[in-house]
Amino acid sequence: MNLKPWREVAVPHEDVLKGTFQQAEFAADLSRVHDGTATPEYQNPALFYQRTFITEGMRLLLDSVVKRLSGKGGDPVIQLQTAFGGGKTHTMLAVYHLAKGEAAVSDLPGIPPILDAAGVTELPPARVAVLDGVKSSPNQPVTRDGQIIRTLWGDLAWQLGEAEGYALVADADASGTSPGKAVLGTLLGRYAPCVILIDELVAYVRQFEEGKTLTGGSFDSNLSFVQALTEALKAVPTAVLLVSLPESDKEAGSERGMKALASLAHYFGRIQALWKPVGTEEAFEIVRRRLFACINDKAAAESVCRAFADTYTAHSEDFPHETQESRYFERLMHAYPIHPEVFDRLYEDWSSLDSFQRTRGVLKLMAKVIHRLWKDNDKDPLIMPGSFPLADADTRNELLYYLPQGWDPVVERDVDGERAETTEIENRDPRLGSVQACRRSARTIFLGSAPSTANQVVRGVEQERVLLGAAQPGQQVGIYKDALRRLGDRLHYLNSGSNRFWFDTRPNLRREMEERKRRFQDKEDVFPVIREGVQKAFAGGVFGGTHTFMPSSDVPDDWQLRLVALPPDAAFSRSGENRAIARATEILKTRGDQPRFKQNRLIFLAAADDTVSRLRDQVRSTLAWRSIVSDINETKLNLDQIQARQARKTLEEANDALRRMIREAYKWIIAPMQEARPGKGLSEIRWEPFLINAGAPNLTQEIERVLKENELLITEWAPIHLAKVLKDWFWKDGVTETNALNVWQQSCQQLYLPRLKDDAVFRRTLRGGAESQDFFGFAQGKEEGRYLGFTFGKPTSQVLDASLLLIEPVTAAAYAAAQKAADGAARLNPTEPIASSAGNAPHIEDSGKAVYTSGQTAPQTLKTQFYGSIELEAIQAKKQFADVVDEVILHFTSRAGVKVKITVDIQAEATAGFDEGVQRTVKENSKVLRFKNAEFEEEGD
């Protein structure tokens, strides 16, 4: 968008361009004008009116003065009561030049229409008396033409009528007492038309102590003079008084000042007409006339303003509501080349500061801003809050002058300058730097928030107003939103909350948080928090156990399916060093210092390597916010309510971000696999990584879904697949049956076999295959060539124990046929055995009944007890005993109704004997382990 820069449209006055202006030039001094010593722009009536914008309030006041001096009505007393710098003195100067009549009315811009409206063709010159409460001293008389003048009424009489006028009040001046209403009436009547201008009256009266008389009279005599003067003015139709009073007690100064203000306001209030000179909207024209010579291309100015208004309308959700009104375009035009937001911030926020003068302060500040921008060849279409050159010492110092101590490092570090954080961010991110998004946003926030105080209930600038003060037509608003987010993360003095931003002289909590982050270590602090977060993400599911950041010794080696979450220092990476695979391999192969057997029961969850550093940083941030909030709750940190609320809110946000980041980090499932072909051996262990959806609501269910879809976990197993596994790995080399429990256990141990969820899946598969003769037959054991409890092709519910056999279907079919033939022969000749085709009669145990061969007179007796003993090597005892448990004892404990008793005998001998330390340790450990007997004996006992 090709918009003309403001510098090509609006030309500043010469003194602004050169930077030759002085502060005094902006301070209208009524006494200096009256004495003839003011600068030309104030002393010369024509120049003064050329640079003066006649506001609505000023127009009404001048209309009243014109009518009064012409004898056509008007108010006799006008009180100017506004805030500090509100234009009181400037208004008195306008009346002064108009009343003096030293310049033709036609040379005073804006005055002829006022006279026309009042019906006055020619305004008679008036006598003007100026009483300056700051210049006059209650105890320091002045001498005029040899005449000593002591009081305000003496000075008033001399200015109106010199010696002749003074003679009317000479005695009252000498005695310091009020001359009274009649004398003052005579004085005013004799020298009318006349104008009396009294500036800073409170500053004069507050110097009188109660009960004490000075050369200028007393406190009470001065109040009596004011009362008499206001009463006398009513009787003189062509005399008018303008008096300025401060707006607040604070501006009045001391306790005596406040008392003087209250008393004067009371007397003036009986007859005066209140007037408040300058409105915010009118300030546009006042500042423009004083600082700019002319607008040389009004069409270009209108084009710029239209572009801004259209931008605000097109992005209505991003800017304040008032920008959507057609009137805002008019505001832009009136304020051009300065953005209205500049005036709103200065007049609404900065004018609340005690020392900032509404009009003079704005003029002085903007003169320095314009001078610096002109010198820097600024190309912006408007002068905006984001344009303020706060890196410039003059501009920065002008603003900091009105603020409490402590703001200089805020501006230097966080807002503007070569060393500012905003500049560094823009240098690193060209997208932000191309439009100075960070600096413009920070300047806008500073201008709108620096005058605020910590005691305010609502602090800061809304995001919409930050965008209003920074964004320009043709730029993406989103860039400034990104800049605000970046500033919130990086700046030390910037605070935010409830969509508002503000700077403070105290470092924000983020800086405190950054310092506390350094306290936390990975192993002791960070990993436990991540471990807790991962554990909370698990919720039931297919796993018999989940083990988070545990050493291999703490991961059981049993038949349960287990999910092992690896710690952050064992993250997964598709390229480079893969610490996750190394750690998972260690856990897969060992349990502590012992080998692991049930390797096919482990699945591993790992964090993505490229997310771990950010996750660690987030944990440290969260821990820092937790400690800050804890200190706030225990009143260890002295913060205001806004900061305390912000800390608690930020902690909530940090906790939420941590939960999300843990889910986003732990997104890799890695599963061990092996390939094996009968007769060709096993391949090396291969690790298969699978990505899970971090956004899934339930982590455990998402892991289960991925495992199922990739056939890493089987929850339903068809009998045909079991039959194939049996054929490939168990029914071979002449073996036609295998132990069912061993098949299940081998599937838990061997990585090349299917990974079943649990033994319930295996049992369902057995039941599913029982009805068919295509897969396998069953038997409850085999003795001397006979299958006990044989079934084939019949629905049955088998107990998965050490006696259950799975028989190859061809063998089972042959055996079933032989069994059927034997049963038929037995029915024909129950006392004669039937020989099989192989010459041996099959012996079948079915439904608890036995079939006996000839020569057998009784069924075989069932064995009901087992005894066994074994000697273990002391060094390998742990491993050997684990083997005994798995391969022998487990076969008993897995069956219902079996009582198992295990006795361990330990005998140790040492020729040199056992020292006291060994004896004490062994006895204590034996006691803890509940040994029945544990004694050391001497040789020969």
Side-chain angles (χ1 to χ4, degrees):
M1 186 173 292
N2 189 18
L3 298 175
K4 269 193 174 184
W6 64 267
R7 62 186 296 115
E8 297 180 13
V9 180
V11 181
H13 283 298
E14 193 69 19
D15 58 348
V16 177
L17 287 179
K18 293 182 178 180
T20 57
F21 49 83
Q22 300 294 327
Q23 179 176 357
E25 294 183 19
F26 295 112
D29 191 323
L30 187 60
S31 293
R32 289 182 61 190
V33 172
H34 191 49
D35 294 340
T37 60
T39 55
E41 63 188 32
Y42 286 108
Q43 191 71 53
N44 186 297
L47 290 178
F48 174 81
Y49 271 98
Q50 285 175 9
R51 295 192 177 191
T52 297
F53 172 68
I54 298 178
T55 65
E56 179 64 16
M58 185 183 289
R59 186 190 66 78
L60 294 174
L61 181 142
L62 293 176
D63 177 76
S64 178
V65 171
V66 167
K67 290 178 179 178
R68 187 71 181 174
L69 295 178
S70 302
K72 294 185 177 183
D75 298 306
V77 178
I78 301 174
Q79 176 192 333
L80 308 179
Q81 187 170 20
T82 69
F84 186 42
K88 298 185 295 287
T89 306
H90 199 89
T91 302
M92 286 188 172
L93 281 174
V95 172
Y96 179 90
H97 285 305
L98 177 62
K100 289 282 285 186
E102 294 178 349
V105 171
S106 59
D107 293 335
L108 306 180
I111 295 301
I114 294 177
L115 267 61
D116 291 343
V120 177
T121 56
E122 184 177 354
L123 185 67
R127 296 174 184 268
V128 179
V130 174
L131 302 179
D132 188 338
V134 173
K135 183 179 179 181
S136 302
S137 171
N139 209 32
Q140 185 70 42
V142 295
T143 302
R144 301 185 190 277
D145 293 341
Q147 177 62 56
I148 297 176
I149 300 173
R150 302 171 180 80
T151 63
L152 289 181
W153 45 92
D155 197 5
L156 171 63
W158 182 273
Q159 291 188 46
L160 292 179
E162 296 185 343
E164 181 183 341
Y166 178 76
L168 295 173
V169 298
D171 292 341
D173 182 65
S175 63
T177 57
S178 172
K181 172 182 173 182
V183 173
L184 291 174
T186 301
L187 175 68
L188 296 175
R190 183 176 297 179
Y191 299 105
C194 63
V195 174
I196 304 170
L197 303 175
I198 305 179
D199 197 11
E200 303 291 353
L201 182 57
V202 169
Y204 180 82
V205 175
R206 70 187 176 196
Q207 299 179 66
F208 292 94
E209 296 183 25
E210 280 193 63
K212 188 174 181 180
T213 301
L214 304 176
T215 56
S218 65
F219 183 85
D220 290 334
S221 66
N222 277 272
L223 292 182
S224 297
F225 162 68
V226 169
Q227 183 179 4
L229 178 62
T230 57
E231 293 293 332
L233 283 162
K234 292 190 294 182
V236 182
T238 56
V240 61
L241 166 66
L242 274 75
V243 62
S244 71
L245 295 179
E247 188 176 47
S248 65
D249 288 345
K250 184 176 292 186
E251 293 176 60
S254 64
E255 184 177 347
R256 281 205 304 273
M258 289 186 285
K259 182 179 179 181
L261 173 59
S263 300
L264 291 170
H266 169 71
Y267 289 120
F268 283 120
R270 298 173 59 185
I271 195 169
Q272 49 80 347
L274 273 177
W275 177 78
K276 296 190 176 182
V278 181
T280 303
E281 299 291 322
E282 295 167 329
F284 297 172
E285 190 65 26
I286 294 174
V287 173
R288 184 163 71 178
R289 287 201 180 197
R290 178 57 188 88
L291 300 180
F292 292 93
C294 63
I295 305 296
N296 57 28
D297 190 343
K298 292 186 178 180
E302 183 174 348
S303 176
V304 168
C305 296
R306 177 57 64 190
F308 273 88
D310 290 346
T311 297
Y312 300 148
T313 303
H315 302 277
S316 57
E317 68 281 0
D318 295 321
F319 295 99
H321 293 303
E322 69 263 23
T323 62
Q324 307 307 304
E325 302 173 3
S326 59
R327 180 174 172 273
Y328 201 77
F329 170 72
E330 298 174 6
R331 293 195 78 204
L332 287 163
M333 287 296 296
H334 290 156
Y336 185 89
I338 301 172
H339 195 286
E341 186 67 8
V342 171
F343 289 105
D344 288 344
R345 299 285 64 80
L346 294 178
Y347 277 88
E348 293 177 17
D349 301 330
W350 286 81
S351 64
S352 65
L353 300 175
D354 294 342
S355 56
F356 189 86
Q357 296 174 293
R358 284 174 60 87
T359 301
R360 297 176 191 173
V362 172
L363 285 171
K364 183 183 175 188
L365 171 63
M366 291 309 300
K368 293 191 174 185
V369 169
I370 294 166
H371 170 70
R372 185 74 244 180
L373 293 177
W374 186 274
K375 189 175 180 180
D376 291 343
N377 197 28
D378 180 64
K379 297 290 188 180
D380 286 349
L382 284 180
I383 299 172
M384 306 173 67
S387 309
F388 271 45
L390 298 179
D392 173 59
D394 281 344
T395 305
R396 181 174 67 248
N397 292 338
E398 179 64 26
L399 283 167
L400 298 184
Y401 171 80
Y402 304 106
L403 298 175
Q405 292 293 321
W407 279 99
D408 195 59
V410 178
V411 176
E412 186 174 346
R413 176 165 187 168
D414 274 10
V415 182
D416 203 357
E418 292 182 0
R419 295 181 295 176
E421 192 73 25
T422 49
T423 305
E424 182 180 344
I425 296 172
E426 290 175 353
N427 289 339
R428 293 183 178 181
D429 191 336
R431 190 174 71 96
L432 300 176
S434 63
V435 295
Q436 295 189 1
C438 292
R439 275 178 285 177
R440 291 180 67 85
S441 298
R443 293 165 184 162
T444 303
I445 295 170
F446 173 81
L447 192 66
S449 67
S452 64
T453 65
N455 296 326
Q456 288 181 265
V457 177
V458 179
R459 295 187 69 184
V461 185
E462 304 95 326
Q463 177 175 291
E464 293 80 4
R465 294 212 168 272
V466 178
L467 299 178
L468 180 64
Q472 302 181 77
Q475 298 175 348
Q476 295 180 2
V477 178
I479 292 179
Y480 290 92
K481 293 181 180 179
D482 291 343
L484 286 173
R485 284 190 287 270
R486 194 76 63 86
L487 296 180
D489 291 335
R490 293 286 298 274
L491 300 191
H492 285 68
Y493 296 97
L494 179 65
N495 298 272
S496 62
S498 302
N499 199 42
R500 303 176 76 93
F501 300 85
W502 69 94
F503 283 108
D504 201 309
T505 54
R506 294 173 297 180
N508 60 28
L509 291 175
R510 184 166 298 280
R511 182 174 183 179
E512 176 73 16
M513 182 273 292
E514 292 291 344
E515 292 177 353
R516 294 194 182 205
K517 279 173 64 174
R518 302 188 184 97
R519 306 177 186 175
F520 303 109
Q521 305 300 318
D522 277 353
K523 297 289 186 182
E524 294 80 3
D525 307 300
V526 175
F527 286 7
V529 174
I530 300 176
R531 178 175 181 268
E532 180 184 1
V534 173
Q535 286 177 326
K536 288 182 178 179
F538 296 138
V542 297
F543 297 102
T546 54
H547 309 278
T548 310
F549 305 176
M550 289 185 176
S552 64
S553 58
D554 290 343
V555 180
D557 186 20
D558 58 16
W559 313 109
Q560 295 285 332
L561 182 68
R562 299 190 178 276
L563 177 64
V564 181
L566 301 175
D569 58 357
F572 178 80
S573 174
R574 283 189 175 274
S575 59
E577 181 184 4
N578 205 322
R579 291 166 294 174
I581 300 300
R583 186 71 60 87
T585 301
E586 174 193 343
I587 297 174
L588 181 73
K589 291 186 175 182
T590 62
R591 184 190 179 199
D593 57 359
Q594 300 298 321
R596 184 179 298 278
F597 296 101
K598 289 81 171 179
Q599 295 183 356
N600 209 28
R601 304 312 290 158
L602 300 184
I603 296 291
F604 296 88
L605 175 66
D609 187 68
D610 57 357
T611 66
V612 169
S613 62
R614 287 187 288 112
L615 177 58
R616 286 172 170 169
D617 186 72
Q618 180 62 36
V619 172
R620 288 188 174 91
S621 297
T622 304
L623 289 173
W625 285 117
R626 289 178 183 176
S627 68
I628 289 172
V629 171
S630 176
D631 286 352
I632 292 173
N633 294 336
E634 296 176 8
T635 65
K636 294 180 181 179
L637 272 181
N638 183 22
L639 302 176
D640 57 42
Q641 292 184 356
I642 293 177
Q643 287 182 307
R645 286 198 301 269
Q646 181 187 2
R648 294 185 178 95
K649 181 180 179 181
T650 306
L651 175 58
E652 293 177 4
E653 294 171 349
N655 285 327
D656 292 341
L658 178 59
R659 283 191 289 270
R660 290 194 305 271
M661 200 167 290
I662 288 175
R663 287 293 304 273
E664 292 169 1
Y666 277 84
K667 60 182 180 181
W668 286 105
I669 288 292
I670 51 176
M673 302 177 69
Q674 273 184 307
E675 291 184 356
R677 294 181 181 177
K680 295 186 178 181
L682 298 175
S683 68
E684 292 293 326
I685 295 176
R686 187 179 77 253
W687 292 91
E688 292 288 344
F690 297 92
L691 198 63
I692 62 175
N693 179 13
N698 187 299
L699 177 61
T700 309
Q701 290 179 359
E702 173 63 12
I703 293 173
E704 182 179 348
R705 180 190 66 80
V706 172
L707 294 176
K708 288 179 180 179
E709 289 182 358
N710 294 279
E711 298 184 354
L712 299 173
L713 177 65
I714 297 174
T715 56
E716 296 294 335
W717 202 25
I720 190 172
H721 298 307
L722 172 57
K724 185 178 186 307
V725 169
L726 292 171
K727 181 179 179 181
D728 290 344
W729 299 105
F730 297 94
W731 297 332
K732 58 182 182 177
D733 300 329
V735 176
T736 58
E737 74 269 339
T738 187
N739 182 270
L741 184 61
N742 180 56
V743 175
W744 154 247
Q745 293 175 346
Q746 287 299 310
S747 74
C748 296
Q749 296 173 348
Q750 307 302 330
L751 296 175
Y752 58 84
L753 293 177
R755 183 181 292 108
L756 306 183
K757 173 187 173 183
D758 51 30
D759 59 352
V761 175
F762 189 76
R763 287 195 297 269
R764 287 197 298 272
T765 305
L766 295 181
R767 285 198 300 271
E771 299 182 23
S772 173
Q773 297 185 359
D774 297 330
F775 308 124
F776 38 75
F778 294 98
Q780 291 297 326
K782 185 177 183 182
E783 291 184 359
E784 298 179 3
R786 298 186 304 275
Y787 290 121
L788 307 178
F790 174 82
T791 61
F792 184 54
K794 298 178 181 178
T796 183
S797 179
Q798 301 291 344
V799 176
L800 183 61
D801 57 17
S803 63
L804 181 64
L805 299 178
L806 298 177
I807 307 168
E808 191 270 332
V810 175
T811 302
Y815 190 85
Q819 183 185 36
K820 184 176 182 181
D823 287 346
R827 284 194 295 272
L828 294 174
N829 188 6
T831 59
E832 295 293 331
I834 305 298
S836 69
S837 60
N840 296 317
H843 302 279
I844 305 165
E845 182 180 306
D846 189 15
S847 303
K849 298 181 181 180
V851 177
Y852 313 117
T853 59
S854 59
Q856 288 181 311
T857 59
Q860 183 178 359
T861 305
L862 293 176
K863 297 178 174 60
T864 61
Q865 293 184 338
F866 169 80
Y867 299 94
S869 63
I870 184 174
E871 289 190 4
L872 306 179
E873 297 180 13
I875 302 301
Q876 297 291 326
K878 185 174 182 179
K879 178 182 181 303
Q880 291 177 348
F881 192 79
D883 292 340
V884 170
V885 172
D886 290 343
E887 305 302 331
V888 178
I889 297 173
L890 190 62
H891 291 291
F892 295 128
T893 57
S894 63
R895 296 174 66 89
V898 178
K899 297 180 180 179
V900 180
K901 181 178 180 181
I902 302 171
T903 303
V904 179
D905 292 326
I906 302 174
Q907 186 174 357
E909 296 181 4
T911 304
F914 300 104
D915 59 38
E916 292 295 329
V918 172
Q919 293 184 46
R920 181 173 61 255
T921 301
V922 171
K923 285 183 178 180
E924 290 177 355
N925 291 345
S926 299
K927 184 177 180 181
V928 172
L929 295 173
R930 298 182 180 179
F931 275 46
K932 288 186 177 180
N933 298 301
E935 298 293 340
F936 286 90
E937 299 178 350
E938 296 180 359
E939 187 177 2
D941 288 355

